[in-house]
Amino acid sequence: MQEGVMQRMWDSSHISGGNAAYVEDLYELYIRDPNEVPEEWRDYFDKLPQINGVTSRDVPHSTIQEHFLYLARNRTQHVSPAVVSSDHEKKQVLVLRLINGYRVRGHQNALLDPLKLQQRAPVPDLELAFHGLSVADLDTPFQTGSLFIGKSESTLGEILDLLKNTYCGSIGAEFMHIVNTDERRWFQNRMESVRGRPEINAESKIHLLERLTASEGLEKYLGTKFPGTKRFGLEGGESLIPMLDEVIQRCGSYGTKEICIGMAHRGRLNVLVNTLGKNPADLFDEFEGKKLHEMGSGDVKYHQGFSSNVMTPGGELHLALSFNPSHLEIVSPVVEGSVRARQDRRKDNDRLQVVPIAIHGDSAFSGQGVVMETLQMSQTRAYKTGGTIHVIINNQVGFTTSKPEDTRSTEYCTDVAKIVDAPILHVNGDDTEAVFFAAKLAVDYRMEFKKDVVIDLVCYRRRGHNEADEPSGTQPLMYQQIARQKTTRTLYVDQLIAEGVVTEEEDKAMANEYRNALDNGQHVVKSLVKEPNSELFVDWAPYLGHEWTAECDTRFDLRRLQELAHQLNEIPEGVVLQRQVGKIVEDRRKMAAGALPINWGFAETMAYATLLDEGHQVRMTGQDVGRGTFSHRHAVLHNQKDGVAYMPLAHLAKDQPQIDIYDSFLSEEAVLAFEYGYATTTPGALVIWEAQFGDFANGAQVVIDQFITSGEHKWGRLCGLTMLLPHGYEGQGPEHSSARLERYLQLCAEHNIQVCVPTTPAQVYHMLRRQQIRPLRKPLIVMTPKSLLRHKLAISTLEELAEGSFQTVIPEVDALEPAKVTRVVMCSGKVYYDLLEKRRNDEIDNTAILRIEQLYPFPHEDLLAALSPYKNLKTVVWCQEEPMNQGAWYSSQHHMRRAIAEHVPGSDLQHHLKYAGREASAAPACGYMSTHVEQQEKLVNDAFTL
Ligand code: AMP
């Protein structure tokens, strides 16, 4: 509000005079939190009339001023202004502002850097003078407002001491950006009540030292035994281990049964051995390069995952560290998906039983976009997990050699977390007890508010990026200081000896004991449960060792299918459907009765309904999946009266399995990673991600490359995730035509994934059912149609759903005379219907059209069977809509040639396999409809004439 208006307001009011700014300031504090102002003022403000019943404390400053203007205009409403006469009363509000200043900006003066090299800008808000106070006021008593000091009045000196100790010690707490008042107050109370540093008993101190001994001991041991070998050591950040120990134990005391951890390579070996209890002897074998698993191609030791059970005050707790690729940060959404899957399995709606911990590097946290995506998903219906405990191993060197000023534009590496109002606890990694307290606070906050929280462990990296790297070339000053710096453990031992908690002998004995355990190849986690309770995790044994060719019966009783369809299309009273949606439901009723041919939407929905009926869980997320991008699905209906969603698939039976269909937020990378995490944790569920258009999956390429297509071979982790990718050349331009089939085919090897292009409703029905019913768990990549969703020829019958199966190759469907057939055109997807229409229109009778519906694993036997009637073949053509450098041509032609060669032994027909398709092209498709139509006509003609 402009000054003039303010002036008028006070002139016209008898809440006026020299007190104006004072009262307004006070009122602003009151609005934010009534406890922040002295009691008599609180009473006074409480009694003020309100505008439109506004009581929100989170109102902007201008609203407060308007409120006063309103009060001034309505003097008749018995507004009795407080008279502020004395200097003391004026200073009172300044003191309250000072308190606020420390809460908001104290962290900027906190002692966070163990190396003491950080240069921080001065913070005026923390100076007395900035608030109009001076050392002369230090002995003056003031009301303490909401300050957690145990008395309503205290001298300014005492208040300042409390504020400095609480907010400028080894923990810099950022929480005043949080909108929710309860959360802010919670932090104030927790921090101020212990002056930022709670008392810790001797037993806990010795335990912390033991954990630091383990942390430092392992790195020293590995450094001596395997000098110069890459291990991405934790040295400089050793307090991560006591921190994790406290997080895990404290979660256990809340009743947590499983914790999933994601982390990059720094410190991973330490966490594996000292937190998860991996046998050091196994780690040493890995250092020696031994092959530990017969299956798969394996991965380097600092990407390995691990699982174990540990004992906590609340009982046994299962720990799972996810396998991780080098691509920093991408594991976080995978962990989230795994956690959500475990919560769903346990029906853990309070989200206390399973907790995610994500450990990050400082520059990855500020640099990688997937961090923002993962934070953004944290409170959404589809992806929330009740709050993640994030830990940043902030060694103050970005990536390998970068300085913070080059790796971010924000003050802290953690600032991105503020987008979800997460509190951030920066803590000096060399103050082990502060780290311990930060861990407690983080867990308590997560359990209380079910939201993300961040611990920024400010530490350093004693060595280079890895042990073979020399860091002083690029970070000279930092490494001069590091050379002088005592280790975290040494600092803590010195402290405990000075406090009389341990003696030098006890300290040495502790270090020796740890080293001896390593020498003997013993487990070094005391809480490790030797005979773990296997009920805490899923048994994957039934899914191991299957081939894709294994028999699979996807038939379903016709009558039951009709019953289910009837139930789905019986919309409850009171649910009013929009006109076109009503028509879809009406048509589906007719399809169920056999009065209309079955279309894509019906068949797909029935795949889900029948699977649910057979006891399988179904989960689908993606862009607009409830309706389907092209409005074919309508699995989620929206009541036109009140907008409330109704999902018929969730109302099939009282005790039916879980069905989730959620529209995703506009992310591909984090969402696909999440669903990968879900699918690799829940073999009993059909898990589907659908892209709006197939090429949107480009944004998630790292997930496809590093998890979906290679995870089983690197890590032995099976995954039955299904990706539905709309694909088809319909003149919609370069971005909306191609799902980039060639990308997936290029990644195919060792039967790692399945790539299918179904062309009929019955095919999509059986394909989806097969994916879940068969015990094989392999990713399924599907090119799904757009115009085919409503194509008059792309139809099926009820009998085909009830009786059929997924056909990897669909043989010729018309009654051609095989002896006349001299040409076979093979194709996949929508172009089939163009070819079929052309052949029928032109009454061509010498050409059979075969559809390859599964491009990988290539269905060699089924293609042979489909070719077998044609003994007089002269020409074989592969027809595709995609340009030559795209689609299946380059990746699949050798499979086709092999089948042709086997079909006509001795001939050289396989060498003359012809290509009918678009010319090679840089863009996936042209942008002009007329060119598109021309190209399409040509390639269809070519198929019959080349
Ligand atoms: P977790 O709960 O992730 O620690 O998994 C417990 C155990 O189940 C692992 O040690 C594996 O033996 C097995 N397991 C978990 N996920 C998979 C998977 N996706 N594929 C195969 N086995 C798995």
Side-chain angles (χ1 to χ4, degrees), residues 290-452:
K290 291 188 189 156
K291 181 170 181 182
L292 298 181
H293 306 286
E294 279 318 304
M295 263 185 55
S297 45
D299 202 347
V300 292
K301 51 193 168 298
Y302 39 83
H303 290 169
Q304 298 293 339
F306 195 76
S307 309
S308 63
N309 286 11
V310 294
M311 196 45 81
T312 74
E316 206 170 321
L317 183 151
H318 179 66
L319 289 175
L321 175 67
S322 282
F323 291 84
N324 193 74
S326 269
H327 195 100
L328 298 175
E329 284 306 329
I330 190 60
V331 80
S332 296
V334 174
V335 166
E336 299 297 332
S338 181
V339 167
R340 176 69 178 248
R342 290 165 206 258
Q343 290 173 341
D344 285 352
R345 179 165 78 90
R346 295 172 168 280
K347 307 213 177 322
D348 175 22
N349 297 329
D350 291 337
R351 310 201 186 281
L352 286 173
Q353 291 180 37
V354 192
V355 175
I357 301 178
I359 304 175
H360 316 262
D362 46 341
S363 63
F365 199 68
S366 54
Q368 299 276 298
V370 72
V371 173
M372 174 273 180
E373 290 189 20
T374 312
L375 290 164
Q376 192 61 271
M377 65 170 36
S378 65
Q379 295 294 322
T380 59
R381 281 192 310 145
Y383 309 105
K384 66 179 163 202
T385 53
T388 301
I389 298 172
H390 297 272
V391 178
I392 321 284
I393 303 179
N394 180 354
N395 58 34
Q396 310 187 70
V397 183
F399 192 40
T400 47
T401 62
S402 303
K403 299 187 172 71
E405 59 268 33
D406 293 330
T407 60
R408 59 180 188 256
S409 299
T410 49
E411 172 154 12
Y412 294 109
C413 62
T414 51
D415 284 342
V416 64
K418 289 183 185 167
I419 63 169
V420 289
D421 258 6
I424 296 153
L425 300 164
H426 308 279
V427 56
N428 185 324
D430 264 357
D431 186 340
T432 307
E433 293 181 6
V435 172
F436 181 61
F437 180 47
K440 278 188 204 304
L441 273 180
V443 174
D444 292 352
Y445 172 84
R446 189 272 177 202
M447 294 303 186
E448 177 82 20
F449 297 105
K450 308 281 160 50
K451 283 177 56 196
D452 285 27

Side-chain angles (χ1 to χ4, degrees), residues 883-900:
M884 193 184 225
N885 56 324
Q886 299 165 32
W889 176 239
Y890 282 138
S891 304
S892 301
Q893 53 173 282
H894 61 291
H895 294 299
M896 301 173 204
R897 289 185 204 277
R898 195 179 133 226
I900 299 164

Side-chain angles (χ1 to χ4, degrees), residues 181-212:
T181 307
D182 290 342
E183 292 178 39
R184 288 199 309 272
R185 197 176 303 158
W186 186 92
F187 264 103
Q188 286 167 18
N189 291 350
R190 288 296 300 268
M191 292 291 294
E192 290 166 12
S193 60
V194 294
R195 314 285 197 264
R197 189 171 198 92
E199 289 293 316
I200 293 179
N201 63 31
E203 194 188 342
S204 297
K205 286 176 188 244
I206 291 170
H207 179 68
L208 288 176
L209 181 61
E210 188 277 321
R211 296 280 70 206
L212 276 183

Side-chain angles (χ1 to χ4, degrees), residues 258 307 318-320 342 537-538 540 544 680-681 716-719:
E258 294 183 73
S307 309
H318 179 66
L319 289 175
R342 290 165 206 258
F537 47 86
V538 174
W540 280 77
L544 300 175
T680 44
T681 308
R717 282 299 190 262
L718 306 175
C719 172

Side-chain angles (χ1 to χ4, degrees), residues 82 206 230 239 260 264 274 284 300 347 355 365 402 417 423 458 521 523 554 648 668 699 786 794 828 832 857 870 910:
I206 291 170
K230 269 197 221 175
S239 50
C260 299
N274 286 323
F284 303 153
V300 292
K347 307 213 177 322
V355 175
F365 199 68
S402 303
V458 185
H523 290 286
T554 54
E668 290 87 24
K786 295 172 290 183
S828 286
Y832 166 73
Y870 312 115
Q910 81 269 22

